[in-house]
Amino acid sequence: MQLSHRAGAALVIVSWLLCGCATPLQGSPIESSAARQVPAIDRAGAPNIPQGRIGFLRLRQLEMRGKIPPALERRILERMGGRPRIRVAFDSHAVVGMWAIVASAYTYIFGENAKGNKTVTAIDVESNGCMAPANLKVDHAENLWLACGTSPSDAGVIQAYASGSKKPLATFADSFTCGEGCNFDANANDVATDSSGHVFAANPFSETCDPSCTDWTYPLVWWNANSASSPATGIAEPDMTNGDYIDVDPSGNLYVEGYGCIDSQCGAMLDEISDPTTASAKITHLIAPYAGSSVGAVYVSNKGRVLNIVDSGSRTMLQYALPWVSRESPFNVLGPTPTNYYGGGYPIAGGFDRGDKRAVLGDAYGWLDVGNVAKNRWSAVTNVNLFTGVYGAAYVPSDK
């Protein structure tokens, strides 16, 4: 499937970012989302990526930690000759059909109409202390939940926004004091909430300093939604170094995509954690890590009966039945999503509408992948505010 319009600018901006794609494995997502090496910087300021061995999330992690310059921002500014102009202001009366995180040089979250082809409002989240927004979800009450990779304090934050508001209802700091002289902070990449009022964050990078620092200590943290001022509580997963994407089913089970090692096998992996906020939390490895593997963004749909896993490399979303059974294979595959004139396309994260009839995924090549679920028919929808690439999207109302 190809787009009829030319998207050369978006392709140039993200082509270096996406060159780590590998050939899809049968029935499984591909390409490690957390390759371990730090790339050198070339004369143009862009990371050198030898033989495509570094993934999208690892690049984002390095950017958030200040190890490499924000490449998307640099390339956009080079081609536009200055500060990109946001084409819409905040409108408290706007009817938002979906929210989108755009890879622009400045941190706005865009509210699109129901079709996704027109921006009707925008929230300047940087002015609220949210920098490097990474993913988002919309809950049953139509509150927008936003995972922010960093903040003025350096640690990531989770923010909640009520419908029609440009200021957060609550901000949860991805940090806590772990004893005298001990501190923890992390960069949040995804957020999930459950029906009991718990808020969860996935951390692609975390650090505990006591006083020397140890990296990747808590890939997950949680808070009580009614106590935003309380410190986070870490969730230890001994086999997982970093959490990338998360979601929760109606029973409160937490699904986590991340990177880790079991024995000598390292790679992307998928966990289910039951009772994640208690001392009796039980961790089950659903997809074990292995070299060259990857599991993409996860999303629980159909009232907790389906776990969706994005395979960015093959531009598909794999659907697994819940509750999960051992050695389970996907019962359905949605996609492939569209490509542009040059064959580029890279869906990252998204979700479903209230009736689970339509799905939306943010595409790094500069559009929203919008799909009719029953017919598995997809189209690419864009406008001037999306061309730099979309990290994630969520319907309003969603199916949560």
Side-chain angles (χ1 to χ4, degrees):
M1 187 185 305
Q2 287 189 342
L3 294 178
S4 59
H5 69 275
R6 298 174 67 89
L11 177 61
V12 170
I13 293 169
V14 300
S15 61
W16 68 270
L17 180 71
L18 306 177
C19 68
C21 299
T23 302
L25 299 173
Q26 290 296 323
S28 300
I30 55 89
E31 193 229 340
S32 173
S33 60
R36 290 298 183 218
Q37 61 268 42
V38 177
I41 305 299
D42 67 17
R43 292 183 180 179
N48 288 320
I49 309 174
Q51 299 180 356
R53 300 314 303 162
I54 188 166
F56 171 80
L57 282 175
R58 178 61 172 149
L59 286 170
R60 286 283 289 159
Q61 175 186 328
L62 292 169
E63 289 178 5
M64 288 188 291
R65 300 301 299 177
K67 303 296 185 183
I68 61 174
L72 288 169
E73 175 178 345
R74 181 185 58 257
R75 294 296 176 88
I76 293 163
L77 293 178
E78 284 175 358
R79 282 158 179 76
M80 297 185 71
R83 181 186 179 104
R85 182 171 49 166
I86 303 303
R87 299 301 180 94
V88 69
F90 175 76
D91 180 357
S92 61
H93 300 292
V95 179
V96 177
M98 59 183 73
W99 289 101
I101 294 180
V102 177
S104 59
Y106 298 93
T107 48
Y108 284 77
I109 303 301
F110 291 95
E112 305 295 304
N113 63 5
K115 292 182 178 180
N117 61 0
K118 181 180 180 181
T119 303
V120 296
T121 190
I123 301 175
D124 179 3
V125 295
E126 185 176 25
S127 69
N128 297 327
C130 169
M131 293 176 279
N135 203 22
L136 72 174
K137 288 187 176 71
V138 172
D139 67 17
H140 184 72
E142 300 187 11
N143 297 310
L144 168 66
W145 289 87
L146 185 61
C148 309
T150 187
S151 68
S153 69
D154 187 52
V157 296
I158 300 295
Q159 292 188 335
Y161 291 80
S163 178
S165 175
K166 65 178 180 179
K167 295 295 181 181
L169 285 170
T171 296
F172 302 82
D174 201 350
S175 62
F176 57 86
T177 300
C178 42
E180 185 176 356
C182 176
N183 291 283
F184 167 87
D185 66 36
N187 301 116
N189 192 75
D190 200 6
V191 58
T193 60
D194 68 14
S195 58
S196 298
H198 300 120
V199 181
F200 300 90
N203 298 324
F205 182 84
S206 60
E207 183 178 67
T208 300
C209 298
D210 187 22
S212 60
C213 296
T214 303
D215 293 344
W216 295 296
T217 49
Y218 288 107
L220 307 159
V221 296
W222 69 275
W223 305 260
N224 187 311
N226 296 319
S227 184
S229 60
S230 297
T233 299
I235 302 176
E237 210 291 38
D239 297 318
M240 182 178 286
T241 55
N242 51 288
D244 296 330
Y245 291 102
I246 53 174
D247 207 0
V248 181
D249 69 20
S251 299
N253 298 309
L254 180 65
Y255 298 89
V256 186
E257 180 276 332
Y259 184 95
C261 298
I262 298 177
D263 297 326
S264 62
Q265 295 296 317
C266 296
M269 59 190 295
L270 178 69
D271 280 354
E272 177 184 340
I273 305 179
S274 59
D275 300 316
T277 63
T278 70
S280 59
K282 178 184 177 183
I283 299 171
T284 303
H285 301 313
L286 303 183
I287 298 178
Y290 57 94
S293 68
S294 177
V295 182
V298 296
Y299 188 94
V300 176
S301 66
N302 293 77
K303 300 180 179 179
R305 295 190 292 268
V306 178
L307 178 64
N308 304 272
I309 302 176
V310 178
D311 180 346
S312 300
S314 65
R315 308 191 327 278
T316 59
M317 188 156 54
L318 311 182
Q319 296 193 298
Y320 293 83
L322 293 178
W324 189 282
V325 298
S326 179
R327 300 182 183 277
E328 182 171 348
S329 296
F331 70 86
N332 188 39
V333 178
L334 295 175
T337 58
T339 61
N340 62 16
Y341 180 85
Y342 302 96
Y346 198 84
I348 299 175
F352 293 77
D353 68 1
R354 176 163 288 176
D356 291 293
K357 295 181 179 180
R358 300 190 69 79
V360 62
L361 295 169
D363 199 295
Y365 274 77
W367 59 78
L368 296 164
D369 292 308
V370 178
N372 180 309
V373 175
K375 296 180 180 180
N376 193 20
R377 185 174 297 164
W378 292 80
S379 59
V381 180
T382 192
N383 61 58
V384 68
N385 290 316
L386 306 182
F387 84 97
T388 58
V390 186
Y391 289 149
Y395 270 107
V396 184
S398 72
D399 62 344
K400 296 300 183 185

